[in-house]
Amino acid sequence: MPQFDYIVVGGGSAGCTITCRLVEAGKRVLLLEDGPPDNSPFIHMPATFIKVIGSERSVIYQSEPQASAAGRRIHVPQGRTLGGGSSINAMVYIRGTANDYDDWAAQGCSGWGWEQVLPAFKKAENHMRLSGPYHGTEGPLRVSDTRYRHPLSLAFVKAAQECGLPYNDDFNGPLQQGSGFFHTTTFNGQRGSTAATYLAAVRQRDNLQVRTGCYVEKLLWQDKRASGIQWLTADGQCHEAHAGSEVILCAGALSTPKILLLSGVGPAAQLREHGIAVLHDAAEVGQNYQDHLEVSVYGRCREPISLLGQERGFNALLNGLQWQLLRSGLLTSNVVESGGFACTDGSSRPDIQFHVLPVLVGDVDREPLPGHGISINPCLLRPKSRGSVSLSSPDARAPLRFVSGALSHEDDVAGLLRGVRLARRILRAPSLQRVISEELLPSAAEHASDEVLITHIRSHAKTVYHPVGTCRMGGDAAAVVNPQLQLNGVEGVRICDASIMPSIISGNTNAPVIMIAERCADFILRS
């Protein structure tokens, strides 16, 4: 059996990050990724990420029908390639607020307050123009302004200011509230995933093996200590490798708990139901699922200026040539160029984030509205709804039983209602009215009733691709991992991905996951 110091399961945002740090420290590392390499041009062209979602480089999890979401199944795409989510996301670089991490510490995650996590954010970051107390300039993760800004994105920023959201140049600075353009994980006009930054820096080292197309089935145990990993390859062959020090699970908030359950770690009754021997009864594995949901407010353009049609015919050829030759133009855009953060609940802490797309968008199972337009998407930052993931079968290839819990807490519906009302005000502000002729949905009527808006919310709310929480970190005995990210109840396993978040942070989750991986590497190397 091949011997390594560490086996990292999952080559996504966290997996590439921690692999880099362990390899740099001279450790022998095996990195296993289920999907193919990140060698599609649509990954590296920032604006074409939508072409990757739904391809072999993503996996789309599908929930059970959710009664509170009009009986719909919620579809949650996740990365399935080197770089993971950082290879298929919209590249928005957001950390959340200081309060988010101080809340973690208050929930028993000692050492995870803002003062402790900020150095890890700065260590990871290589910002193109900002430095000082909030930003790093020497890390692997490239953070920059996009080279292209669509006129509809700019119109939103101006219209939001007209509705009381002041311009904010840095949502990761001292104040999150306001409107502006997002910083992005891009460099030189192309995507800067963790595969293109962290992993690329060590890819040729002799002490690293990277294997793609490896579907991990379970952990191997010697008594109650992890000794290695078992996985399948596309030819149906079963493989094993030994980890002398630790196995590090970085498979994400949906796959990491599945691997644990298949390995005998989870709620005992569920494991016995599927004939899996109980190694450790961990009741919270798969519980505490959280995700950000957003709802689109759609406006019709007065002129055909949206992104519609830019991916076809002569436009596609011209845009492709400009990107290939000059690394400039539309394809350098992350599409979700502008947005903002608003306090709609009377507090001083933003509860709504806006993601703005200069095109009419649909969902995995819903075609976009026809024609040219803008999509203003209010997202509820700290939802109270909770879901779960569990096994549907002892067969590792069988899909999960996934309950998203979408909109099951009425406070979440009320929060999105406030966000939709603000989005509709912004759509009607002067700077957007110059380019937008009418609201398409949820209603052309300026004074639509709560009933109309709530119906739209329940029928159109969609994921923002931020599943977290299913392997909760904490200082209590029921927590799945302790504050050093060690799996409770067994030895030789750490979890290093969004599943460890006790509560979701106030913003996009990619940067926080990279921070978690930086800290996990520090815990390992200092132990």
Side-chain angles (χ1 to χ4, degrees), residues 21 119-126 139-142 198 514 518:
R21 295 309 191 191
F121 277 118
K122 294 177 66 176
K123 179 182 180 181
E125 186 182 27
N126 184 338
L141 189 69
R142 306 288 288 274
Y198 280 93
I514 294 167
E518 285 279 12

Side-chain angles (χ1 to χ4, degrees), residues 91-114:
M91 294 148 278
V92 175
Y93 181 81
I94 294 289
R95 299 170 176 174
T97 68
N99 298 101
D100 296 327
Y101 302 99
D102 290 340
D103 285 350
W104 287 10
Q107 293 176 65
C109 303
S110 58
W112 286 85
W114 176 244

Side-chain angles (χ1 to χ4, degrees), residues 259-505:
I259 294 169
L260 289 179
L261 293 166
L262 291 167
S263 305
V265 178
Q270 182 188 155
L271 299 179
R272 293 190 182 107
E273 175 189 347
H274 294 292
I276 298 172
V278 179
L279 181 75
H280 175 61
D281 182 6
E284 290 198 21
V285 170
Q287 303 301 304
N288 194 44
Y289 176 88
Q290 302 159 56
D291 192 9
H292 286 138
L293 297 181
E294 67 182 11
V295 185
S296 293
V297 171
Y298 299 111
R300 172 73 69 208
C301 288
R302 296 183 184 276
E303 303 291 338
I305 61 171
S306 80
L307 295 181
L308 180 67
Q310 291 294 325
E311 78 285 8
R312 297 193 296 268
F314 181 72
N315 287 332
L317 178 62
L318 187 63
N319 291 328
L321 284 172
Q322 186 173 0
W323 185 84
Q324 192 69 45
L325 297 175
L326 303 173
R327 290 297 192 270
S328 65
L330 176 60
L331 292 184
T332 66
S333 169
N334 71 318
V335 182
V336 190
E337 299 164 351
S338 71
F341 292 84
C343 305
T344 70
D345 60 359
S347 72
S348 59
R349 184 179 180 185
D351 62 313
I352 294 292
Q353 179 181 4
F354 290 104
H355 298 103
V356 179
L357 291 90
V359 67
L360 297 172
V361 297
D363 197 2
V364 170
D365 61 341
R366 173 167 49 86
E367 289 295 318
L369 295 172
H372 288 267
I374 188 172
S375 303
I376 302 176
N377 300 336
C379 160
L380 185 67
L381 288 174
R382 289 178 298 281
K384 296 180 180 179
S385 298
R386 296 291 183 268
S388 64
V389 296
S390 57
L391 296 178
S392 64
S393 164
D395 181 357
R397 287 286 189 178
L400 284 167
R401 184 175 184 273
F402 169 32
V403 177
S404 76
L407 304 177
S408 57
H409 199 294
E410 286 301 317
D411 287 358
D412 293 358
V413 179
L416 282 172
L417 178 61
R418 295 191 301 270
V420 166
R421 287 206 171 280
L422 179 53
R424 299 181 76 233
R425 280 181 52 214
I426 294 172
L427 190 68
R428 289 167 170 78
S431 288
L432 271 172
Q433 280 296 287
R434 294 188 188 102
V435 291
I436 298 297
S437 61
E438 61 182 322
E439 179 180 325
L440 297 172
L441 283 176
S443 174
E446 183 174 359
H447 302 291
S449 68
D450 285 357
E451 181 181 7
V452 167
L453 301 184
I454 289 172
T455 297
H456 177 71
I457 289 167
R458 293 198 186 277
S459 62
H460 284 72
K462 61 179 287 293
T463 180
V464 193
Y465 319 116
H466 299 162
V468 310
T470 51
C471 296
R472 177 182 68 87
M473 170 175 57
D476 57 294
V480 178
V481 297
N482 66 22
Q484 286 72 48
L485 306 185
Q486 295 163 313
L487 181 61
N488 285 327
V490 299
E491 296 181 348
V493 182
R494 292 190 206 238
I495 299 179
C496 173
D497 57 32
S499 69
I500 65 97
M501 294 186 185
S503 52
I504 198 165
I505 59 95

